[in-house]
Amino acid sequence: MKQLIINGNKELTGEIKISGAKNSVVALIPAAILSDEEVTLYNVPNISDTNALIDIIELLNGKVDYKNETMKIDTSKIENKVVPEALSKKLRASYYFMGALLSKFKYAEIYFPGGCNIGSRPIDFHINGFKKLGAEVTIEGNKYIFKANKLKGARIYLDFASVGATINIMLAAVKAEGTTYISNAAKEPEIVNIATLLNNMGAKITGAGTSEIKIEGVKKLGKGVVDVIPDRIEAGTYTIIGALLGKKLKISGIIEDHIDALLSKLKEMGVPMEVNNGELIISKPEEYKAINVKTLVFPGFATDLGQPMSVLLTQANGMSIFEETIYENRMGHIKYLQKMGANIRVNDRTAIIVGKTSLTGEEVTATDLRAGAAMVIAGLIAKGTTIVNEIDHILRGYENIVEKLTGAGAKISIKDTE
Ligand code: EPU
């Protein structure tokens, strides 16, 4: 068991460099098995989700060479095997092997995925998409079995613009006979990143990044190369930290358009910042205006930044409202913020936050990845010492979080309690 120990209230300055995006790389690695040759990914973050996916690729007899942020995946000898439950459960993104294995072998056996406990998170849109492409789906307990004589292009409408379903259907359709159209597709930047790799491997995908994606099936996919895009959620998390503690803190390696909704909310609160050529310089203002934040699909305010943002709202003068619309259960961190001194009332998926309240260090728990990020932020602004438990959630998604924050002047360390 590991804990984070944070001594709060330290001004942050210098530079924090953003890593490659977790939610891209977790789909790019499974996408690589569609190649009959070698796939190279640059800017790969060293987080535990990446390592869990390497384990799955190696189980399937792929070869992975991962050093200095570059990952080469040789998939020429990939075999179809059941991905065991213990591995699938390690992360949400194991579900991308459903689409990828089905596409490559017309058969896949895989268990229901893991991931953060932030709601019921069904995968019915993925399954319906696979069925439309011609797959037969059987469920045995927690295990899904996908079988198809051949996959045929289809018109697939998503009831909700799901990131996971859009990517999984792209993976399953890329080698199908004929053309697939996904309407009401998710538009998140990660989807463009996956389509870029697949097209580089020889796929014919257009419209990624819009709500209508067209996939013309191809027979073969070969060598492929792509840069993992910068992690917009990591960038957003450090930007929020900069708004609370920054003195000309530089956040580098960002794509401004990917965090536009956050930057516009911070401007509304009165946070001084400048963005130039992928670098953001941010400082703490004298005071913050209270605002309302509602999470939405891209380009709306990212659900993954709602919990970190709620900590900033405890420092605004007056009443702010944080409303989560994507998941049922994004309020796991609130009881710990209350324990630290925040004035927050929760009603279902809405939190009413009244500030400004000063926070005091306490022992708290990371109930999920972004709740964990919220706890780190709260610890960084609290008086005294904060202990964050169950930090494995945080390490799934934030590369070198201790080193990055320490480098900017924070007092934070990891303690092994075993
Ligand atoms: N949904 C369904 N049925 C489906 C699929 C989704 O009802 O078949 C619902 C979900 O229950 C949820 C909503 O649709 O209420 C959105 O889910 P989506 O499929 O878009 O999310 P996801 O693909 O499971 C990815 C990220 C999440 C991020 C969301 C939204 C990965 C591995 N995960 O999840 O990231 O919150 O998109 O942007 O890419 C995180 O990084 O902390 C995280 C949770």
Side-chain angles (χ1 to χ4, degrees):
M1 276 267 293
K2 288 183 182 131
Q3 294 177 321
L4 279 175
I5 314 289
I6 308 169
N7 285 303
N9 233 345
K10 307 281 181 260
E11 189 174 82
L12 300 186
T13 188
E15 179 176 351
I16 294 179
K17 194 175 167 301
I18 298 310
S19 301
K22 165 179 101 68
N23 288 345
S24 260
V25 82
V26 297
L28 292 169
I29 297 174
I33 70 162
L34 290 169
S35 167
D36 298 324
E37 299 170 45
E38 188 183 75
V39 168
T40 306
L41 310 177
Y42 296 111
N43 197 31
V44 176
N46 188 2
I47 47 179
S48 54
D49 270 13
T50 308
N51 294 317
L53 290 167
I54 295 176
D55 289 347
I56 299 182
I57 295 278
E58 289 178 343
L59 172 103
L60 300 173
N61 210 28
K63 276 207 193 96
V64 181
D65 174 19
Y66 177 32
K67 46 177 143 19
N68 304 329
E69 297 173 5
T70 298
M71 184 181 289
K72 288 188 187 295
I73 308 170
D74 175 356
T75 54
S76 57
K77 297 204 171 59
I78 285 281
E79 287 169 22
N80 198 5
K81 294 189 189 163
V82 184
V83 178
E85 187 159 22
L87 268 180
S88 317
K89 278 260 170 281
K90 277 193 176 169
L91 76 172
R92 188 87 198 147
S94 54
Y95 61 22
Y96 291 131
F97 283 99
M98 295 177 174
L101 288 172
L102 178 63
S103 180
K104 189 155 182 124
F105 297 106
K106 311 284 174 290
Y107 186 88
E109 278 188 42
I110 184 156
Y111 286 84
F112 194 81
C116 289
N117 181 15
I118 49 182
S120 58
R121 306 185 81 180
I123 55 167
D124 50 326
F125 306 152
H126 307 230
I127 305 298
N128 290 340
F130 298 152
K131 283 185 180 162
K132 284 248 164 79
L133 293 169
E136 229 175 73
V137 184
T138 336
I139 304 173
E140 283 177 6
N142 279 342
K143 189 166 76 174
Y144 286 73
I145 304 169
F146 304 93
K147 207 190 296 178
N149 289 330
K150 67 175 173 193
L151 295 168
K152 275 187 82 174
R155 288 186 176 271
I156 299 168
Y157 165 76
L158 298 179
D159 286 330
F160 182 86
S162 152
V163 173
T166 302
I167 295 176
N168 233 342
I169 293 168
M170 257 178 10
L171 295 175
V174 72
K175 291 174 79 183
E177 247 175 50
T179 304
T180 298
Y181 297 89
I182 310 177
S183 31
N184 196 30
K187 295 181 281 199
E188 271 68 1
E190 291 74 17
I191 288 152
V192 181
N193 208 191
I194 314 314
T196 306
L197 172 67
L198 291 171
N199 283 340
N200 192 269
M201 286 157 61
K204 286 194 179 157
I205 302 173
T206 52
T210 75
S211 53
E212 297 290 325
I213 300 180
K214 181 179 172 192
I215 306 149
E216 291 172 74
V218 294
K219 289 221 155 63
K220 218 177 135 44
L221 293 169
K223 257 187 194 315
V225 180
V226 83
D227 281 320
V228 181
I229 56 169
D231 195 311
R232 63 197 167 92
I233 307 304
E234 189 200 19
T237 304
Y238 288 120
T239 299
I240 291 168
I241 292 173
L244 283 162
L245 292 160
K247 185 172 181 203
K248 296 211 162 149
L249 178 69
K250 188 197 280 184
I251 321 280
S252 61
I254 62 161
I255 295 178
E256 186 182 353
D257 287 353
H258 293 180
I259 52 167
D260 208 34
L262 170 68
L263 297 183
S264 125
K265 283 289 160 190
L266 294 181
K267 275 180 204 145
E268 203 182 320
M269 294 181 83
V271 176
M273 59 189 149
E274 275 170 48
V275 198
N276 247 320
N277 287 331
E279 285 183 359
L280 170 79
I281 312 268
I282 188 162
S283 297
K284 170 187 162 77
E286 286 291 307
E287 51 178 26
Y288 309 89
K289 284 200 196 82
I291 57 156
N292 297 336
V293 175
K294 182 174 177 172
T295 64
L296 290 167
V297 295
F298 188 82
F301 194 97
T303 171
D304 296 334
L305 286 174
Q307 290 157 301
M309 187 69 175
S310 66
V311 183
L312 174 58
L313 298 181
T314 68
Q315 303 307 301
N317 292 322
M319 187 174 85
S320 296
I321 297 173
F322 156 47
E323 190 188 348
E324 163 64 25
T325 72
I326 311 290
Y327 294 107
E328 300 92 329
N329 185 18
R330 278 284 201 194
M331 298 291 167
H333 63 304
I334 297 287
K335 65 172 184 284
Y336 297 107
L337 284 179
Q338 288 165 334
K339 187 176 174 191
M340 294 173 80
N343 180 354
I344 305 179
R345 196 154 40 86
V346 175
N347 184 0
D348 192 20
R349 298 193 199 184
T350 302
I352 297 164
I353 305 173
V354 180
K356 166 183 183 176
T357 46
S358 65
L359 303 186
T360 312
E362 286 284 352
E363 182 161 349
V364 298
T365 296
T367 52
D368 60 74
L369 169 56
R370 308 301 169 188
M375 287 300 107
V376 171
I377 300 173
L380 288 170
I381 61 169
K383 287 199 192 97
T385 304
T386 297
I387 299 171
V388 187
N389 291 313
E390 294 186 28
I391 64 164
D392 281 350
H393 288 297
I394 304 174
L395 303 180
R396 282 190 37 224
Y398 289 88
E399 184 179 43
N400 297 336
I401 185 167
V402 168
E403 293 78 0
K404 287 188 187 190
L405 285 169
T406 306
K411 290 278 172 277
I412 176 168
S413 56
I414 292 193
K415 186 174 158 198
D416 235 315
T417 55
E418 277 169 352

